[in-house]
Amino acid sequence: MFIEGIKIDIITESKRKFGRYISLLKEDGTKREISLIYGENNLGKSTLIKSIIYALGGEDLYGKSSWNDTIFPPIMYMINGESIIQNIIYLQIINKQNKRVTIARNALERTAPVIVYNDVAIEDIETSTSVEYYKIKKDIGIDGNKTFNDFLFQFFSIPEVQYEGIKVYFQNLLPLFIIPQTSWNDIQAVNPYYGVPELKQKAFEILMNFSTIENLSEKIKLKVKREELKEKKRSMEDLEDILLVFKYKTLIENQNAIESQKQELSEYEIELDEIENNKVEVNDSVRPLREKLRRLSNIARRQETQLDTLKKEIDEYNYYINKINLDIDKIDKLSTAKKIFSLIPIRKCPHCLNDISINEKSEIESNNCSLCGSDFMINNHPKSEQLYSYLLDEQKDFKKLKTVKEIEKTNIESKLFLLDLDINEIQSTLNELEIKLAPGYLKRYHFVSREIGRLNNELNNLTREQAIISKYDTLSQELESLYSEISTLVSALKGKNDENDDQDKLKYFTSEFKKFLKKLEFIKNGFDGSKLNEAADKIFNQITIDQTDYKPKIDRRNLFNITSSSGLIRIIISYYLSLLKTSLKKNTNFPCIIIFDEPRQQNLDKDTFNEFTKILKDLQKNYRGEIQIIYTSGNKGTLTNEDIVLDLGDDTFLIEEF
């Protein structure tokens, strides 16, 4: 992996353009081994490193909560008091196969697709004829196109690894070759944890290309195949229990039985058709009777329909007659009430106690109350004598219509009764004729019908059994295939014994680590006085890299725990430089790049920092075009101006207006 250039492109709401473009190549276009981002503090040097990390999908190295901060670079929403409407980071990289791409990532929307321009530099992306889009994250449980993480693994030819069912992401590898300011307190201090046990160790093994990683995919595949074999064997046992009750155990026997049953069924169906077609022609005397039976049945159905209609009409007449009777009763009650008035024993006025004379005859004739003089028809009953007469006429008419319909209903019922007698007589005659004329025909008809039903049931059962037998045979073939695959995987795993190669890499790594520690004078300046006394009996060459967590230790004690803060920085620098050196000599997946963010600010004295830069110059001299070291600092050490790719000086900011 080699980073050739980076560009931060910002546009504000007033269309002002801000940002920075930095080429990490030499003027002649060749690779630059050392790229120093030089300048005082708070000018944006770390923002550049964060932009590189963000372009590679590693923003979680800074913690998820940090990216919610609107002033957290490289995600900026305001600049010079203006809102930002566009903030895109471009990263131009090339892999070991000299395949060049430019990555473009939207810094305002983390979830926006990442754009990859193939075979072009940053300044030429508009001319690209091959552009790909990758989602940052794939929806859970949904298969789809490759994600940006998948692209990075494939682009850098690094095997994707799942450990105990959990995926190791590309950003889990970044802390082994990018050391931001927040990562100077431990090796891989900012590696995000995703529930993967021993995640940091696995990241180390992936980049070192240890056999545990090389064979891990095959081991996982073997485990999956064995689980699949277990499930299929259980299914086979269940099917074998079912097959015990089957008459036919193989597909061939079952298929032959089905063909035989179909042939027999076809013969019976043909015979049944012949019987059904001939039974009307048994005797000519049957045909007229059947025709008469059909005609009478049609007449009876029509009569029944007419009878139902008459019943509904009669019910409606009864309803209206009852309603009229109620109205008549109301008027009759009014007349009775008027007569009763004359019998009330009222002789004196209840108000003045004077005698009252009542003329019953006059009261009835006038319809006025002799006591109060009011009209009886007001407020007591709305019906007049005219209405009473009208109701009587209506009652008479409805009763007459009802009588007509009842007579018609009685006539139809009589006709239906006679029709039912005729139909029953004809049906009885037909039954006697069929039995007398063809006694063997009916017996054969019933037998053939029963056989057709039986054969259909047997065919259905045989078809279901065929599916089960077929599934059993398929499972048998799958089991044979699984046994073969498992045997092949087991043989392949037995044939691979790269543990010696792992030990050789680790031994070389340990040796280089000690060499860098010596150059940085770790024993002289790396311990506090009290801690040095505690480790006085330890010899420098006893420092080892633990084969479990790959941490530097002395007598199983972590070297970090017995050193000073400046000693810790020496350990971290030596550790990462050793990874770089090992990748140059051994077969690893390490990208041959290291990015240091402000190592000078981490309690390193001037002499040690100068020694650190001398080491970088030696690497530059010995590995032309093979390595890339990017670091930010406000101190050059022994580096020259030729190694500076961006000089911010004292007051030049990384993000400036174009």
Side-chain angles (χ1 to χ4, degrees):
M1 170 182 174
F2 192 91
I3 300 176
E4 296 183 323
I6 181 170
K7 180 182 179 183
I8 302 173
D9 191 8
I10 298 174
I11 300 177
T12 66
E13 58 185 351
S14 65
K15 306 303 180 183
R16 294 171 65 188
K17 295 184 178 181
F18 293 82
R20 175 76 65 174
Y21 170 71
I22 303 170
S23 173
L24 301 179
L25 297 172
K26 296 179 182 179
E27 292 183 359
D28 60 359
T30 59
K31 294 180 180 179
R32 182 190 295 272
E33 294 78 23
I34 298 177
S35 299
L36 172 60
I37 314 300
Y38 180 74
E40 293 297 321
N41 296 335
N42 302 318
L43 297 178
K45 300 190 300 297
S46 294
T47 297
L48 183 65
I49 304 303
K50 291 174 182 177
S51 298
I52 294 174
I53 292 173
Y54 182 75
L56 293 173
E59 58 268 26
D60 286 350
L61 269 63
Y62 294 95
K64 295 182 179 179
S65 61
S66 299
W67 293 90
N68 295 326
D69 186 352
T70 56
I71 64 171
F72 185 81
I75 298 178
M76 293 180 287
Y77 297 94
M78 298 286 294
I79 187 168
N80 287 1
E82 287 192 57
S83 296
I84 294 174
I85 62 173
Q86 175 180 299
N87 186 1
I88 299 176
I89 296 172
Y90 298 91
L91 188 69
Q92 179 181 326
I93 55 178
I94 190 169
N95 61 14
K96 293 180 180 178
Q97 292 76 35
N98 290 322
K99 165 73 174 178
R100 178 180 290 105
V101 297
T102 293
I103 297 169
R105 190 168 181 203
N106 189 336
L108 294 180
E109 297 182 27
R110 289 182 60 194
T111 58
V114 180
I115 306 174
V116 176
Y117 300 91
N118 291 301
D119 304 317
V120 294
I122 291 175
E123 57 269 24
D124 299 325
I125 57 173
E126 294 182 357
T127 65
S128 175
T129 58
S130 176
V131 181
E132 297 172 333
Y133 297 85
Y134 297 98
K135 292 183 69 174
I136 285 293
K137 291 184 179 180
K138 186 180 293 184
D139 295 330
I140 297 176
I142 298 178
D143 294 331
N145 296 332
K146 293 188 300 183
T147 63
F148 184 53
N149 184 74
D150 300 328
F151 162 77
L152 291 172
F153 272 103
Q154 293 183 13
F155 184 76
F156 296 117
S157 302
I158 298 175
E160 293 188 66
V161 172
Q162 285 193 354
Y163 183 71
E164 296 187 0
I166 303 176
K167 194 171 186 178
V168 177
Y169 294 93
F170 187 80
Q171 65 178 349
N172 295 125
L173 308 181
L174 294 181
L176 277 170
F177 56 88
I178 301 180
I179 305 92
Q181 279 201 47
T182 54
S183 189
W184 287 102
N185 59 327
D186 198 354
I187 306 297
Q188 302 190 65
V190 295
N191 203 330
Y193 179 73
Y194 296 111
V196 181
E198 303 172 351
L199 174 67
K200 295 181 180 181
Q201 293 91 304
K202 294 303 165 187
F204 184 90
E205 291 173 358
I206 290 172
L207 289 186
M208 289 291 281
N209 197 24
F210 280 174
S211 60
T212 52
I213 298 303
E214 285 185 352
N215 301 334
L216 186 58
S217 59
E218 294 173 344
K219 291 176 181 176
I220 293 173
K221 187 176 181 181
L222 178 61
K223 181 180 179 180
V224 171
K225 292 296 180 183
R226 282 175 171 165
E227 288 295 327
E228 186 179 353
L229 177 65
K230 185 178 179 180
E231 290 296 323
K232 290 188 182 298
K233 287 178 69 176
R234 188 181 296 112
S235 299
M236 282 284 290
E237 292 172 357
D238 294 339
L239 289 176
E240 286 172 352
D241 292 338
I242 297 173
L243 287 174
L244 290 175
V245 300
F246 288 177
K247 181 178 180 181
Y248 306 105
K249 311 295 184 184
T250 65
L251 277 177
I252 295 177
E253 293 175 347
N254 179 276
Q255 189 62 40
N256 290 337
I258 289 176
E259 294 298 327
S260 176
Q261 297 277 29
K262 285 182 177 180
Q263 179 64 31
E264 189 176 357
L265 178 63
S266 177
E267 293 174 358
Y268 277 128
E269 287 175 343
I270 292 172
E271 184 178 354
L272 183 65
D273 288 340
E274 292 175 351
I275 292 173
E276 289 179 342
N277 291 331
N278 293 332
K279 72 177 183 178
V280 180
E281 306 297 333
V282 172
N283 195 292
D284 290 340
S285 60
V286 175
R287 189 179 302 160
L289 289 173
R290 287 191 171 171
E291 179 62 28
K292 185 177 180 180
L293 177 64
R294 183 189 64 77
R295 181 171 52 80
L296 292 178
S297 297
N298 289 336
I299 294 172
R301 281 194 295 273
R302 287 197 299 271
Q303 295 288 351
E304 287 173 353
T305 302
Q306 189 175 358
L307 184 62
D308 290 338
T309 303
L310 285 170
K311 287 180 180 179
K312 292 179 181 178
E313 290 178 353
I314 291 171
D315 288 341
E316 290 178 358
Y317 289 141
N318 284 332
Y319 168 76
Y320 286 115
I321 290 170
N322 289 335
K323 190 174 183 303
I324 290 170
N325 289 336
L326 288 173
D327 292 339
I328 291 172
D329 287 344
K330 290 178 182 178
I331 294 175
D332 288 343
K333 288 177 182 178
L334 178 60
S335 299
T336 303
K338 289 196 297 182
K339 293 178 181 180
I340 291 173
F341 290 158
S342 63
L343 302 177
I344 297 175
I346 298 175
R347 297 290 181 249
K348 292 182 180 292
C349 176
H351 184 254
C352 63
L353 300 179
N354 291 321
D355 292 336
I356 298 174
S357 61
I358 299 175
N359 190 337
E360 293 89 348
K361 182 178 179 180
S362 174
E363 184 176 277
I364 292 173
E365 289 177 355
S366 66
N367 289 326
N368 290 333
C369 176
S370 60
L371 185 63
C372 65
S374 299
D375 189 346
F376 282 122
M377 300 308 293
I378 298 174
N379 300 325
N380 286 291
H381 203 287
K383 304 297 182 180
S384 64
E385 291 297 329
Q386 184 180 0
L387 175 62
Y388 182 75
S389 300
Y390 171 75
L391 290 174
L392 290 176
D393 290 341
E394 284 290 301
Q395 183 188 51
K396 184 179 179 180
D397 291 341
F398 277 121
K399 285 183 178 180
K400 187 184 293 183
L401 290 171
K402 176 184 174 184
T403 302
V404 172
K405 295 297 180 181
E406 286 178 340
I407 293 171
E408 188 177 350
K409 174 176 171 289
T410 302
N411 292 335
I412 291 175
E413 287 176 343
S414 300
K415 291 179 182 179
L416 270 174
F417 177 76
L418 296 175
L419 281 171
D420 286 340
L421 291 176
D422 290 342
I423 289 171
N424 290 334
E425 184 179 355
I426 293 172
Q427 187 64 58
S428 176
T429 302
L430 281 172
N431 291 339
E432 291 178 2
L433 283 172
E434 287 186 352
I435 292 172
K436 290 178 181 179
L437 294 173
Y441 143 73
L442 286 176
K443 183 178 180 181
R444 184 63 182 173
Y445 177 83
H446 291 310
F447 171 77
V448 172
S449 298
R450 287 195 303 270
E451 286 299 298
I452 289 174
R454 179 185 64 80
L455 288 171
N456 278 322
N457 287 334
E458 289 187 4
L459 276 173
N460 289 335
N461 291 332
L462 286 171
T463 302
R464 286 193 292 268
E465 291 176 6
Q466 185 183 56
I468 294 173
I469 295 171
S470 177
K471 185 176 181 180
Y472 180 83
D473 291 347
T474 302
L475 272 175
S476 299
Q477 296 174 3
E478 291 176 353
L479 280 174
E480 291 180 6
S481 177
L482 277 174
Y483 279 124
S484 176
E485 289 182 35
I486 290 172
S487 177
T488 302
L489 284 171
V490 170
S491 300
L493 288 172
K494 286 182 178 179
K496 289 187 176 182
N497 185 14
D498 295 329
E499 292 184 3
N500 292 332
D501 186 46
D502 295 347
Q503 293 298 322
D504 181 58
K505 292 177 185 176
L506 201 57
K507 182 179 179 181
Y508 185 84
F509 173 78
T510 304
S511 174
E512 293 301 315
F513 176 69
K514 292 179 182 180
K515 290 179 182 178
F516 286 124
L517 283 179
K518 286 181 179 179
K519 290 181 179 179
L520 295 175
E521 297 185 324
F522 173 73
I523 294 297
K524 177 181 177 182
N525 299 315
F527 289 94
D528 289 336
S530 59
K531 293 179 179 178
L532 182 60
N533 293 331
E534 184 181 346
D537 58 337
K538 308 304 178 184
I539 305 174
F540 185 83
N541 59 14
Q542 288 182 320
I543 296 175
T544 61
I545 301 298
D546 189 271
Q547 298 190 19
T548 302
D549 59 11
Y550 308 110
K551 294 292 184 68
K553 296 181 180 180
I554 291 181
D555 194 21
R556 300 181 181 178
R557 298 182 63 187
N558 199 320
L559 205 56
F560 299 150
N561 299 330
I562 56 174
T563 186
S564 63
S565 58
S566 63
L568 175 61
I569 304 305
R570 291 174 172 84
I571 292 173
I572 293 173
I573 291 174
S574 300
Y575 195 92
Y576 284 94
L577 290 177
S578 300
L579 280 172
L580 177 64
K581 191 71 176 295
T582 304
S583 68
L584 295 168
K585 297 295 184 180
K586 305 294 179 180
N587 178 25
T588 71
N589 294 317
F590 196 82
C592 294
I593 179 175
I594 295 182
I595 301 176
F596 292 109
D597 190 9
E598 294 286 5
R600 177 66 178 90
Q601 295 182 11
Q602 313 303 323
N603 293 326
L604 278 184
D605 59 83
K606 181 179 179 181
D607 292 338
T608 304
F609 183 76
N610 288 338
E611 186 60 37
F612 164 67
T613 55
K614 287 181 181 178
I615 293 174
L616 299 187
K617 294 296 288 184
D618 289 340
L619 291 171
Q620 179 187 45
K621 178 181 177 181
N622 296 327
Y623 301 101
R624 295 284 183 187
E626 298 182 55
I627 63 171
Q628 183 178 33
I629 299 174
I630 302 171
Y631 82 97
T632 66
S633 178
N635 193 309
K636 300 178 184 177
T638 61
L639 299 184
T640 64
N641 290 336
E642 293 180 357
D643 300 314
I644 299 175
V645 295
L646 177 62
D647 189 351
L648 298 176
D650 298 332
D651 55 2
T652 302
F653 288 94
L654 176 73
I655 306 299
E656 291 199 336
E657 188 170 5
F658 292 162

